[in-house]
mmCIF file of all heavy atoms in Angstrom:
data_model
loop_
_atom_site.group_PDB
_atom_site.id
_atom_site.type_symbol
_atom_site.label_atom_id
_atom_site.label_comp_id
_atom_site.label_asym_id
_atom_site.label_seq_id
_atom_site.Cartn_x
_atom_site.Cartn_y
_atom_site.Cartn_z
ATOM 1 N N LEU A 89 10.564 -31.106 -6.632
ATOM 2 C CA LEU A 89 11.770 -30.442 -6.144
ATOM 3 C C LEU A 89 12.017 -30.880 -4.704
ATOM 4 O O LEU A 89 11.106 -30.927 -3.889
ATOM 5 C CB LEU A 89 11.575 -28.927 -6.197
ATOM 6 C CG LEU A 89 12.842 -28.099 -6.228
ATOM 7 C CD1 LEU A 89 13.601 -28.344 -7.509
ATOM 8 C CD2 LEU A 89 12.504 -26.638 -6.104
ATOM 9 N N GLU A 90 13.234 -31.251 -4.402
ATOM 10 C CA GLU A 90 13.570 -31.681 -3.046
ATOM 11 C C GLU A 90 14.760 -30.886 -2.536
ATOM 12 O O GLU A 90 15.524 -30.324 -3.307
ATOM 13 C CB GLU A 90 13.900 -33.176 -3.018
ATOM 14 C CG GLU A 90 12.682 -34.064 -3.185
ATOM 15 C CD GLU A 90 13.055 -35.527 -3.102
ATOM 16 O OE1 GLU A 90 14.016 -35.848 -2.406
ATOM 17 O OE2 GLU A 90 12.385 -36.327 -3.770
ATOM 18 N N THR A 91 14.895 -30.879 -1.237
ATOM 19 C CA THR A 91 16.033 -30.166 -0.650
ATOM 20 C C THR A 91 16.882 -31.137 0.146
ATOM 21 O O THR A 91 16.383 -32.093 0.726
ATOM 22 C CB THR A 91 15.559 -29.040 0.277
ATOM 23 O OG1 THR A 91 14.766 -29.613 1.306
ATOM 24 C CG2 THR A 91 14.788 -27.998 -0.455
ATOM 25 N N PHE A 92 18.174 -30.909 0.163
ATOM 26 C CA PHE A 92 19.108 -31.750 0.901
ATOM 27 C C PHE A 92 19.958 -30.870 1.790
ATOM 28 O O PHE A 92 20.162 -29.695 1.510
ATOM 29 C CB PHE A 92 20.017 -32.520 -0.062
ATOM 30 C CG PHE A 92 19.266 -33.357 -1.047
ATOM 31 C CD1 PHE A 92 18.992 -32.883 -2.317
ATOM 32 C CD2 PHE A 92 18.817 -34.605 -0.696
ATOM 33 C CE1 PHE A 92 18.284 -33.645 -3.208
ATOM 34 C CE2 PHE A 92 18.113 -35.379 -1.590
ATOM 35 C CZ PHE A 92 17.849 -34.904 -2.852
ATOM 36 N N SER A 93 20.439 -31.446 2.857
ATOM 37 C CA SER A 93 21.323 -30.685 3.739
ATOM 38 C C SER A 93 22.670 -31.382 3.809
ATOM 39 O O SER A 93 22.753 -32.582 4.067
ATOM 40 C CB SER A 93 20.713 -30.576 5.135
ATOM 41 O OG SER A 93 20.602 -31.854 5.691
ATOM 42 N N GLU A 94 23.715 -30.631 3.549
ATOM 43 C CA GLU A 94 25.075 -31.143 3.662
ATOM 44 C C GLU A 94 25.943 -30.037 4.208
ATOM 45 O O GLU A 94 25.747 -28.864 3.880
ATOM 46 C CB GLU A 94 25.601 -31.559 2.283
ATOM 47 C CG GLU A 94 25.475 -33.041 2.007
ATOM 48 C CD GLU A 94 26.051 -33.398 0.658
ATOM 49 O OE1 GLU A 94 27.191 -32.999 0.394
ATOM 50 O OE2 GLU A 94 25.338 -34.032 -0.125
ATOM 51 N N ASN A 95 26.887 -30.386 5.028
ATOM 52 C CA ASN A 95 27.779 -29.379 5.580
ATOM 53 C C ASN A 95 28.850 -29.009 4.554
ATOM 54 O O ASN A 95 29.398 -29.874 3.879
ATOM 55 C CB ASN A 95 28.440 -29.899 6.848
ATOM 56 C CG ASN A 95 27.440 -29.962 7.989
ATOM 57 O OD1 ASN A 95 26.501 -29.173 8.042
ATOM 58 N ND2 ASN A 95 27.631 -30.914 8.885
ATOM 59 N N VAL A 96 29.102 -27.708 4.454
ATOM 60 C CA VAL A 96 30.139 -27.243 3.534
ATOM 61 C C VAL A 96 31.492 -27.507 4.198
ATOM 62 O O VAL A 96 31.687 -27.157 5.363
ATOM 63 C CB VAL A 96 29.965 -25.739 3.245
ATOM 64 C CG1 VAL A 96 30.967 -25.292 2.193
ATOM 65 C CG2 VAL A 96 28.564 -25.449 2.788
ATOM 66 N N PRO A 97 32.448 -28.126 3.491
ATOM 67 C CA PRO A 97 33.757 -28.388 4.100
ATOM 68 C C PRO A 97 34.491 -27.098 4.444
ATOM 69 O O PRO A 97 34.315 -26.068 3.773
ATOM 70 C CB PRO A 97 34.508 -29.153 3.009
ATOM 71 C CG PRO A 97 33.503 -29.567 2.033
ATOM 72 C CD PRO A 97 32.327 -28.704 2.159
ATOM 73 N N ASP A 98 35.301 -27.171 5.483
ATOM 74 C CA ASP A 98 36.023 -25.981 5.933
ATOM 75 C C ASP A 98 37.024 -25.489 4.898
ATOM 76 O O ASP A 98 37.317 -24.296 4.824
ATOM 77 C CB ASP A 98 36.750 -26.284 7.249
ATOM 78 C CG ASP A 98 35.778 -26.352 8.407
ATOM 79 O OD1 ASP A 98 34.681 -25.780 8.248
ATOM 80 O OD2 ASP A 98 36.095 -26.965 9.438
ATOM 81 N N GLU A 99 37.562 -26.414 4.093
ATOM 82 C CA GLU A 99 38.527 -25.988 3.066
ATOM 83 C C GLU A 99 37.901 -24.986 2.104
ATOM 84 O O GLU A 99 38.540 -24.050 1.631
ATOM 85 C CB GLU A 99 39.008 -27.205 2.281
ATOM 86 C CG GLU A 99 39.622 -28.290 3.144
ATOM 87 C CD GLU A 99 39.622 -29.643 2.459
ATOM 88 O OE1 GLU A 99 39.511 -29.671 1.213
ATOM 89 O OE2 GLU A 99 39.720 -30.645 3.169
ATOM 90 N N ILE A 100 36.603 -25.215 1.805
ATOM 91 C CA ILE A 100 35.912 -24.310 0.885
ATOM 92 C C ILE A 100 35.558 -23.004 1.588
ATOM 93 O O ILE A 100 35.707 -21.917 1.023
ATOM 94 C CB ILE A 100 34.649 -25.002 0.332
ATOM 95 C CG1 ILE A 100 35.065 -26.115 -0.628
ATOM 96 C CG2 ILE A 100 33.741 -24.020 -0.378
ATOM 97 C CD1 ILE A 100 33.924 -26.920 -1.169
ATOM 98 N N LEU A 101 35.117 -23.121 2.857
ATOM 99 C CA LEU A 101 34.705 -21.912 3.583
ATOM 100 C C LEU A 101 35.880 -20.969 3.807
ATOM 101 O O LEU A 101 35.698 -19.761 3.961
ATOM 102 C CB LEU A 101 34.074 -22.295 4.923
ATOM 103 C CG LEU A 101 32.700 -22.951 4.844
ATOM 104 C CD1 LEU A 101 32.226 -23.338 6.226
ATOM 105 C CD2 LEU A 101 31.687 -22.022 4.197
ATOM 106 N N LYS A 102 37.112 -21.522 3.847
ATOM 107 C CA LYS A 102 38.286 -20.675 4.041
ATOM 108 C C LYS A 102 38.506 -19.732 2.872
ATOM 109 O O LYS A 102 39.056 -18.642 3.023
ATOM 110 C CB LYS A 102 39.528 -21.560 4.200
ATOM 111 C CG LYS A 102 39.814 -22.000 5.614
ATOM 112 C CD LYS A 102 41.057 -22.870 5.608
ATOM 113 C CE LYS A 102 41.106 -23.685 6.880
ATOM 114 N NZ LYS A 102 42.130 -24.743 6.769
ATOM 115 N N ASN A 103 38.080 -20.157 1.667
ATOM 116 C CA ASN A 103 38.374 -19.366 0.464
ATOM 117 C C ASN A 103 37.456 -18.170 0.288
ATOM 118 O O ASN A 103 37.736 -17.299 -0.532
ATOM 119 C CB ASN A 103 38.235 -20.263 -0.775
ATOM 120 C CG ASN A 103 39.212 -21.406 -0.750
ATOM 121 O OD1 ASN A 103 40.324 -21.253 -0.267
ATOM 122 N ND2 ASN A 103 38.807 -22.556 -1.247
ATOM 123 N N LEU A 104 36.330 -18.137 1.026
ATOM 124 C CA LEU A 104 35.306 -17.130 0.758
ATOM 125 C C LEU A 104 35.859 -15.731 0.974
ATOM 126 O O LEU A 104 36.535 -15.453 1.965
ATOM 127 C CB LEU A 104 34.096 -17.355 1.671
ATOM 128 C CG LEU A 104 33.406 -18.710 1.523
ATOM 129 C CD1 LEU A 104 32.278 -18.821 2.516
ATOM 130 C CD2 LEU A 104 32.894 -18.893 0.129
ATOM 131 N N SER A 105 35.553 -14.852 0.029
ATOM 132 C CA SER A 105 36.034 -13.479 0.145
ATOM 133 C C SER A 105 34.925 -12.461 -0.015
ATOM 134 O O SER A 105 35.146 -11.272 0.182
ATOM 135 C CB SER A 105 37.113 -13.212 -0.902
ATOM 136 O OG SER A 105 36.557 -13.394 -2.179
ATOM 137 N N GLY A 106 33.743 -12.881 -0.378
ATOM 138 C CA GLY A 106 32.677 -11.905 -0.566
ATOM 139 C C GLY A 106 31.315 -12.551 -0.476
ATOM 140 O O GLY A 106 31.196 -13.778 -0.478
ATOM 141 N N GLN A 107 30.274 -11.711 -0.360
ATOM 142 C CA GLN A 107 28.909 -12.219 -0.217
ATOM 143 C C GLN A 107 28.032 -11.608 -1.302
ATOM 144 O O GLN A 107 28.101 -10.398 -1.545
ATOM 145 C CB GLN A 107 28.366 -11.865 1.169
ATOM 146 C CG GLN A 107 27.015 -12.464 1.440
ATOM 147 C CD GLN A 107 26.480 -12.103 2.805
ATOM 148 O OE1 GLN A 107 27.102 -11.360 3.537
ATOM 149 N NE2 GLN A 107 25.327 -12.629 3.139
ATOM 150 N N ILE A 108 27.218 -12.437 -1.919
ATOM 151 C CA ILE A 108 26.254 -11.935 -2.905
ATOM 152 C C ILE A 108 25.010 -11.501 -2.157
ATOM 153 O O ILE A 108 24.520 -12.217 -1.272
ATOM 154 C CB ILE A 108 25.914 -13.024 -3.938
ATOM 155 C CG1 ILE A 108 27.179 -13.486 -4.638
ATOM 156 C CG2 ILE A 108 24.914 -12.507 -4.941
ATOM 157 C CD1 ILE A 108 26.966 -14.653 -5.558
ATOM 158 N N GLN A 109 24.482 -10.340 -2.536
ATOM 159 C CA GLN A 109 23.314 -9.812 -1.810
ATOM 160 C C GLN A 109 22.087 -10.658 -2.101
ATOM 161 O O GLN A 109 21.869 -11.090 -3.245
ATOM 162 C CB GLN A 109 23.068 -8.368 -2.233
ATOM 163 C CG GLN A 109 22.176 -7.638 -1.270
ATOM 164 C CD GLN A 109 21.892 -6.216 -1.715
ATOM 165 O OE1 GLN A 109 22.378 -5.785 -2.751
ATOM 166 N NE2 GLN A 109 21.119 -5.515 -0.938
ATOM 167 N N GLN A 110 21.271 -10.891 -1.064
ATOM 168 C CA GLN A 110 20.060 -11.685 -1.235
ATOM 169 C C GLN A 110 19.044 -10.916 -2.079
ATOM 170 O O GLN A 110 18.952 -9.694 -1.987
ATOM 171 C CB GLN A 110 19.450 -12.016 0.127
ATOM 172 C CG GLN A 110 20.287 -13.008 0.918
ATOM 173 C CD GLN A 110 19.659 -13.337 2.240
ATOM 174 O OE1 GLN A 110 19.132 -12.468 2.904
ATOM 175 N NE2 GLN A 110 19.727 -14.588 2.633
ATOM 176 N N VAL A 111 18.276 -11.658 -2.889
ATOM 177 C CA VAL A 111 17.331 -10.999 -3.782
ATOM 178 C C VAL A 111 16.012 -10.688 -3.088
ATOM 179 O O VAL A 111 15.239 -9.865 -3.562
ATOM 180 C CB VAL A 111 17.070 -11.857 -5.039
ATOM 181 C CG1 VAL A 111 18.290 -11.871 -5.922
ATOM 182 C CG2 VAL A 111 16.660 -13.259 -4.675
ATOM 183 N N MET A 112 15.733 -11.368 -1.967
ATOM 184 C CA MET A 112 14.471 -11.132 -1.258
ATOM 185 C C MET A 112 14.747 -10.897 0.213
ATOM 186 O O MET A 112 15.713 -11.437 0.759
ATOM 187 C CB MET A 112 13.538 -12.347 -1.413
ATOM 188 C CG MET A 112 13.070 -12.542 -2.819
ATOM 189 S SD MET A 112 12.456 -14.184 -3.070
ATOM 190 C CE MET A 112 11.128 -14.244 -1.910
ATOM 191 N N THR A 113 13.864 -10.114 0.857
ATOM 192 C CA THR A 113 14.019 -9.873 2.286
ATOM 193 C C THR A 113 13.489 -11.083 3.065
ATOM 194 O O THR A 113 12.459 -11.657 2.706
ATOM 195 C CB THR A 113 13.248 -8.623 2.728
ATOM 196 O OG1 THR A 113 11.924 -8.711 2.222
ATOM 197 C CG2 THR A 113 13.914 -7.366 2.227
ATOM 198 N N VAL A 114 14.182 -11.458 4.107
ATOM 199 C CA VAL A 114 13.788 -12.625 4.905
ATOM 200 C C VAL A 114 12.707 -12.202 5.892
ATOM 201 O O VAL A 114 12.931 -11.283 6.694
ATOM 202 C CB VAL A 114 14.996 -13.192 5.657
ATOM 203 C CG1 VAL A 114 14.596 -14.380 6.506
ATOM 204 C CG2 VAL A 114 16.084 -13.591 4.688
ATOM 205 N N PRO A 115 11.507 -12.795 5.856
ATOM 206 C CA PRO A 115 10.472 -12.408 6.810
ATOM 207 C C PRO A 115 10.780 -12.934 8.207
ATOM 208 O O PRO A 115 11.460 -13.947 8.372
ATOM 209 C CB PRO A 115 9.214 -13.056 6.245
ATOM 210 C CG PRO A 115 9.709 -14.216 5.475
ATOM 211 C CD PRO A 115 11.043 -13.829 4.934
ATOM 212 N N LYS A 116 10.255 -12.234 9.185
ATOM 213 C CA LYS A 116 10.486 -12.604 10.579
ATOM 214 C C LYS A 116 9.170 -13.082 11.190
ATOM 215 O O LYS A 116 8.176 -12.345 11.172
ATOM 216 C CB LYS A 116 11.007 -11.376 11.335
ATOM 217 C CG LYS A 116 11.883 -11.725 12.528
ATOM 218 C CD LYS A 116 12.497 -10.481 13.110
ATOM 219 C CE LYS A 116 13.166 -10.762 14.424
ATOM 220 N NZ LYS A 116 13.650 -9.537 15.065
ATOM 221 N N GLY A 117 9.171 -14.303 11.693
ATOM 222 C CA GLY A 117 7.969 -14.851 12.295
ATOM 223 C C GLY A 117 7.714 -14.263 13.664
ATOM 224 O O GLY A 117 8.606 -13.659 14.273
ATOM 225 N N ILE A 118 6.507 -14.476 14.169
ATOM 226 C CA ILE A 118 6.137 -13.867 15.455
ATOM 227 C C ILE A 118 6.860 -14.549 16.607
ATOM 228 O O ILE A 118 7.075 -13.956 17.658
ATOM 229 C CB ILE A 118 4.609 -13.920 15.626
ATOM 230 C CG1 ILE A 118 4.179 -12.837 16.605
ATOM 231 C CG2 ILE A 118 4.132 -15.259 16.093
ATOM 232 C CD1 ILE A 118 2.759 -12.517 16.530
ATOM 233 N N HIS A 119 7.333 -15.794 16.387
ATOM 234 C CA HIS A 119 8.063 -16.499 17.449
ATOM 235 C C HIS A 119 9.498 -15.992 17.561
ATOM 236 O O HIS A 119 10.205 -16.373 18.484
ATOM 237 C CB HIS A 119 8.034 -17.998 17.168
ATOM 238 C CG HIS A 119 8.539 -18.355 15.800
ATOM 239 N ND1 HIS A 119 7.754 -18.268 14.676
ATOM 240 C CD2 HIS A 119 9.753 -18.756 15.382
ATOM 241 C CE1 HIS A 119 8.460 -18.613 13.630
ATOM 242 N NE2 HIS A 119 9.680 -18.919 14.013
ATOM 243 N N GLU A 120 9.941 -15.158 16.622
ATOM 244 C CA GLU A 120 11.313 -14.653 16.654
ATOM 245 C C GLU A 120 11.416 -13.302 17.348
ATOM 246 O O GLU A 120 12.516 -12.801 17.549
ATOM 247 C CB GLU A 120 11.865 -14.547 15.229
ATOM 248 C CG GLU A 120 11.989 -15.901 14.548
ATOM 249 C CD GLU A 120 12.320 -15.771 13.084
ATOM 250 O OE1 GLU A 120 13.409 -15.295 12.770
ATOM 251 O OE2 GLU A 120 11.466 -16.121 12.254
ATOM 252 N N TYR A 121 10.270 -12.697 17.666
ATOM 253 C CA TYR A 121 10.283 -11.422 18.395
ATOM 254 C C TYR A 121 10.280 -11.703 19.897
ATOM 255 O O TYR A 121 9.665 -12.674 20.356
ATOM 256 C CB TYR A 121 9.068 -10.571 18.040
ATOM 257 C CG TYR A 121 9.088 -10.010 16.647
ATOM 258 C CD1 TYR A 121 8.427 -10.636 15.602
ATOM 259 C CD2 TYR A 121 9.772 -8.830 16.375
ATOM 260 C CE1 TYR A 121 8.437 -10.125 14.321
ATOM 261 C CE2 TYR A 121 9.791 -8.305 15.096
ATOM 262 C CZ TYR A 121 9.118 -8.960 14.083
ATOM 263 O OH TYR A 121 9.145 -8.438 12.818
ATOM 264 N N THR A 122 10.930 -10.819 20.663
ATOM 265 C CA THR A 122 10.883 -10.960 22.113
ATOM 266 C C THR A 122 9.593 -10.339 22.647
ATOM 267 O O THR A 122 8.904 -9.598 21.941
ATOM 268 C CB THR A 122 12.088 -10.266 22.760
ATOM 269 O OG1 THR A 122 12.072 -8.885 22.369
ATOM 270 C CG2 THR A 122 13.390 -10.882 22.297
ATOM 271 N N GLU A 123 9.282 -10.645 23.895
ATOM 272 C CA GLU A 123 8.060 -10.104 24.503
ATOM 273 C C GLU A 123 8.119 -8.579 24.601
ATOM 274 O O GLU A 123 7.107 -7.902 24.473
ATOM 275 C CB GLU A 123 7.858 -10.714 25.904
ATOM 276 C CG GLU A 123 7.472 -12.184 25.888
ATOM 277 C CD GLU A 123 6.129 -12.419 25.217
ATOM 278 O OE1 GLU A 123 5.229 -11.568 25.362
ATOM 279 O OE2 GLU A 123 5.990 -13.440 24.525
ATOM 280 N N GLU A 124 9.314 -8.041 24.838
ATOM 281 C CA GLU A 124 9.459 -6.579 24.932
ATOM 282 C C GLU A 124 9.146 -5.913 23.599
ATOM 283 O O GLU A 124 8.456 -4.899 23.540
ATOM 284 C CB GLU A 124 10.890 -6.225 25.351
ATOM 285 C CG GLU A 124 11.197 -6.575 26.796
ATOM 286 C CD GLU A 124 12.646 -6.288 27.140
ATOM 287 O OE1 GLU A 124 13.379 -5.762 26.279
ATOM 288 O OE2 GLU A 124 13.038 -6.607 28.274
ATOM 289 N N GLU A 125 9.659 -6.511 22.522
ATOM 290 C CA GLU A 125 9.410 -5.944 21.193
ATOM 291 C C GLU A 125 7.920 -5.947 20.876
ATOM 292 O O GLU A 125 7.396 -5.006 20.291
ATOM 293 C CB GLU A 125 10.171 -6.751 20.143
ATOM 294 C CG GLU A 125 11.637 -6.416 20.047
ATOM 295 C CD GLU A 125 12.377 -7.315 19.077
ATOM 296 O OE1 GLU A 125 12.045 -8.516 19.010
ATOM 297 O OE2 GLU A 125 13.290 -6.824 18.418
ATOM 298 N N LYS A 126 7.241 -7.031 21.286
ATOM 299 C CA LYS A 126 5.806 -7.106 21.023
ATOM 300 C C LYS A 126 5.060 -6.062 21.835
ATOM 301 O O LYS A 126 4.108 -5.439 21.364
ATOM 302 C CB LYS A 126 5.289 -8.494 21.388
ATOM 303 C CG LYS A 126 5.710 -9.573 20.427
ATOM 304 C CD LYS A 126 5.146 -10.886 20.912
ATOM 305 C CE LYS A 126 5.877 -12.031 20.273
ATOM 306 N NZ LYS A 126 5.488 -13.307 20.875
#
Side-chain angles (χ1 to χ4, degrees):
Chain A
L89 202 66
E90 287 182 30
T91 59
F92 303 96
S93 63
E94 262 182 51
N95 288 330
V96 185
D98 286 339
E99 303 159 20
I100 289 176
L101 289 177
K102 272 180 199 168
N103 298 325
L104 300 177
S105 61
Q107 185 180 3
I108 302 174
Q109 197 182 0
Q110 290 181 320
V111 290
M112 293 162 60
T113 50
V114 179
K116 208 173 170 186
I118 203 162
H119 54 278
E120 295 171 65
Y121 290 96
T122 58
E123 289 297 324
E124 289 176 4
E125 281 175 323
K126 288 179 198 171

